[in-house]
Amino acid sequence: MEVIVIILYLVPTLILFSYSCAQLSLVWNYWQKKRTENGNPPSNITPLSFEFPLVTVQLPIYNELYVVERLIDAVCLFEYPKNRLEIQILDDSTDDTVSIIAQKVHFYQVQGFDIQHIRRRNRDGFKAGALAYGLTTARGEFIAIFDADFIPNPDFLTTTIPHFENTHVGVVQTRWVHLNESYSLITQLQAFGLDGHFIVEQGGRNAAGHFINFNGTAGVWRKSCILDAGGWSAQTLTEDLDLSYRAQLRGWQFVYLENVETPAELPATMPALKSQQYRWMKGAAECARKNLKKVLQSTTVKFSTKVYAAFHLLNSGVFLAVFVMALLSVPILAITAFEPKYDYLFGIFRIFQLSFLMLLGFYGTTHYRHKTFGQFVWQLPFFLTVIMGLSLHNAIAALEGYLGKKTPFIRTPKWGIVQQKDGWQRKNYLVKSLNWLTIAELLLAVYFAAAVGLGFYWHSYQMVVLHAMLAVGFGFVSFYSVKHSIS
């Protein structure tokens, strides 16, 4: 029995080590690109080198009382000729958002904007369905897409559209930045993690010519690329990742612009964050189920790109590995405490503790320009702690995706929260998270807190830090799941 437990513990630990190695390789790719740029600055791409093409801006909306006006205002401030801009508000709303949009559309139509309020009879296909519906009448050669929680800058189109002079480019994606990063501890930790994706992951993959993904918003598609790749599909919860892979398998190139920032609002409550994480994790697993085999069997995709694509598409499976490793770490503690012959295993397990050093390099690269040393020192371990606390929730989402269990698209609520004085309490769209999963997370916090006590009682200290992080992580997630559900 001891051998079985050890093997079951070793497998997810090895998976996590492999994933950390992949992340470290992205750091290498990222810095190689930076060295090249410093030695040979890229030529400036200006909008003056070609005529302004017709651009359609699509705004998929579903019940966005608090943020839809600021989004429409931001798009209408674009530094782009009115006669070359078409705005589609793809409104599936069922509340007062409909009348708010109608008033805004009338206001800007009077000012000469080509802006349309588009309503469907039903919400089939959710966001993917709305985008596909709008595309049937879109006149633009290029399609810019923004979710409701974004506020694009006036120069968005003039900094992205010129990159399409290369006729092989199908997508230009910009980097998300955060309107309300300092609002709370939850938003700070979200920003910490998202920056890792938008700086090192997207930048590292793109630098080496590997597949990246359109992030669902704050980017521009070439319309012919969408059509050539088969169009938007609601078969997965992450329609953006799905279409990205289908397009790149067709040979389209993606451009990632790290230096072009598009501000957005972060979820302010734990239930809202869980809702977003569930969609992202399950959707990624669904995309792996749908597209990974196609990538691996492709005769035109180079081997290294296939490897990176596998890590990318299977990313949400990391949470399965984290949860299994965490759960089995307590039996491992008992085995080593009562069977001294297995002490040598800790020597092997310490090799995999290098994963933390690799993540230190990954997030150090991400934040060396954006954080003070003091901020980084406390945010990195606390971020990893909370990520471990979300491992059960995200593992369930990933497992459902791999098994093909279908669930509806659940939007992430936005409340127009930017400053400390802004609040989400007593507003519409509040998500509740008082369920069996929250109870399980609370019990896991107790489980790992007991493991900390056992470590001291048995004078076996090798896993005390790990178990303390797990106890705090699950405690943090369960506490705020309850607090934000009853406030």
Side-chain angles (χ1 to χ4, degrees):
M1 179 60 71
E2 292 92 344
V3 173
I4 294 175
V5 172
I6 290 169
I7 292 173
L8 290 176
Y9 179 81
L10 187 61
V11 169
T13 307
L14 180 59
I15 291 172
L16 294 175
F17 178 73
S18 301
Y19 173 77
S20 298
C21 290
Q23 296 297 85
L24 189 62
S25 71
L26 291 175
V27 173
W28 172 262
N29 294 343
Y30 179 83
W31 282 116
Q32 286 292 98
K33 178 186 177 184
K34 288 298 180 184
R35 291 192 191 96
T36 301
E37 289 178 351
N38 291 337
N40 302 287
S43 58
N44 291 324
I45 300 177
T46 69
L48 301 178
S49 59
F50 71 115
E51 294 182 0
F52 289 102
L54 182 61
V55 175
T56 297
V57 179
Q58 291 188 322
L59 310 178
I61 303 295
Y62 177 69
N63 294 351
E64 301 291 1
L65 282 172
Y66 307 107
V67 295
V68 68
E69 289 186 275
R70 73 182 187 187
L71 170 62
I72 297 172
D73 289 338
V75 170
C76 290
L77 286 174
F78 278 164
E79 298 165 349
Y80 207 77
K82 283 184 185 179
N83 65 343
R84 308 304 294 162
L85 187 65
E86 175 189 45
I87 304 170
Q88 291 184 334
I89 305 179
L90 308 172
D91 180 21
D92 287 345
S93 299
T94 58
D95 65 1
D96 290 343
T97 304
V98 178
S99 59
I100 292 173
I101 292 174
Q103 293 174 16
K104 273 289 176 183
V105 167
H106 176 72
F107 174 80
Y108 282 111
Q109 283 177 340
V110 170
Q111 297 187 40
F113 284 90
D114 181 0
I115 181 169
Q116 308 158 38
H117 188 185
I118 299 175
R119 301 270 296 160
R120 298 190 291 164
R121 291 184 178 179
N122 54 56
R123 202 178 167 223
D124 288 349
F126 307 104
K127 179 181 175 181
L131 293 171
Y133 187 81
L135 198 65
T136 60
T137 58
R139 296 183 294 110
E141 181 183 354
F142 302 102
I143 311 294
I145 300 172
F146 301 97
D147 285 346
D149 47 336
F150 281 71
I151 309 179
N153 293 315
D155 64 349
F156 180 87
L157 292 180
T158 56
T159 55
T160 55
I161 295 298
H163 292 271
F164 287 102
E165 282 192 285
N166 180 346
T167 57
H168 298 291
V169 171
V171 170
V172 174
Q173 174 68 51
T174 65
R175 178 165 65 92
W176 299 3
V177 292
H178 320 293
L179 290 167
N180 58 336
E181 177 177 352
S182 61
Y183 181 76
S184 68
L185 180 56
I186 290 176
T187 56
Q188 289 180 60
L189 296 177
Q190 287 178 74
F192 188 92
L194 282 171
D195 287 345
H197 169 71
F198 278 98
I199 295 177
V200 180
E201 287 187 339
Q202 289 285 66
R205 291 189 189 108
N206 201 223
H210 302 312
F211 287 4
I212 65 169
N213 60 293
F214 170 64
N215 291 106
T217 177
V220 186
W221 283 83
R222 190 187 297 271
K223 183 179 179 181
S224 58
C225 172
I226 298 176
L227 299 175
D228 180 64
W232 295 105
S233 170
Q235 291 180 344
T236 74
L237 292 179
T238 47
E239 71 291 323
D240 45 6
L241 179 61
D242 175 32
L243 184 58
S244 296
Y245 265 74
R246 285 188 278 123
Q248 287 167 111
L249 282 169
R250 295 283 296 169
W252 289 98
Q253 297 175 12
F254 283 29
V255 173
Y256 177 65
L257 303 178
E258 179 190 340
N259 295 326
V260 179
E261 302 176 348
T262 306
E265 179 183 328
L266 294 164
T269 69
M270 182 59 70
L273 171 60
K274 281 183 167 182
S275 173
Q276 185 184 72
Q277 286 286 304
Y278 175 85
R279 190 175 70 250
W280 287 355
M281 295 303 115
K282 182 173 182 178
E286 290 174 330
C287 285
R289 178 186 172 97
K290 180 179 179 180
N291 295 304
L292 182 55
K293 184 177 179 180
K294 297 175 185 177
V295 173
L296 298 179
Q297 291 180 340
S298 173
T299 58
T300 58
V301 177
K302 60 186 180 181
F303 177 76
S304 58
T305 296
K306 292 180 180 181
V307 173
Y308 278 97
F311 277 106
H312 187 188
L313 289 173
L314 295 172
N315 183 55
S316 59
V318 168
F319 287 97
L320 279 165
V322 169
F323 182 69
V324 172
M325 179 275 295
L327 205 61
L328 292 178
S329 65
V330 180
I332 287 290
L333 173 66
I335 289 171
T336 54
F338 291 99
E339 296 286 349
K341 65 181 179 180
Y342 291 116
D343 282 349
Y344 73 92
L345 288 171
F346 280 114
I348 299 174
F349 294 150
R350 286 192 187 98
I351 295 175
F352 302 114
Q353 291 173 359
L354 289 172
S355 298
F356 180 81
L357 295 179
M358 294 179 190
L359 291 177
L360 183 65
F362 178 87
Y363 287 107
T365 295
T366 299
H367 295 290
Y368 80 101
R369 291 184 301 177
H370 308 290
K371 302 281 185 186
T372 66
F373 180 74
Q375 287 176 315
F376 182 75
V377 164
W378 76 261
Q379 284 188 356
L380 175 60
F382 205 77
F383 167 75
L384 296 177
T385 295
V386 174
I387 283 295
M388 287 191 285
L390 284 166
S391 62
L392 173 60
H393 174 273
N394 288 354
I396 291 171
L399 189 59
E400 288 182 354
Y402 292 136
L403 295 177
K405 180 181 178 181
K406 293 298 181 182
T407 50
F409 185 101
I410 301 176
R411 61 185 285 278
T412 303
K414 301 101 180 176
W415 296 295
I417 292 175
V418 177
Q419 302 175 4
Q420 289 288 340
K421 65 179 181 180
D422 298 327
W424 49 267
Q425 294 87 348
R426 294 181 296 279
K427 286 189 174 182
N428 295 351
Y429 318 136
L430 289 175
V431 179
K432 303 297 182 181
S433 189
L434 288 176
N435 50 38
W436 70 267
L437 183 58
T438 301
I439 296 172
E441 288 164 344
L442 180 59
L443 292 175
L444 284 167
V446 174
Y447 174 73
F448 291 113
V452 172
L454 288 173
F456 282 104
Y457 181 74
W458 290 333
H459 303 288
S460 183
Y461 307 113
Q462 293 91 338
M463 291 187 173
V464 165
V465 173
L466 172 65
H467 289 151
M469 291 176 70
L470 287 163
V472 172
F474 280 107
F476 182 91
V477 170
S478 59
F479 173 78
Y480 279 104
S481 294
V482 174
K483 178 179 172 60
H484 292 163
S485 293
I486 62 178
S487 296

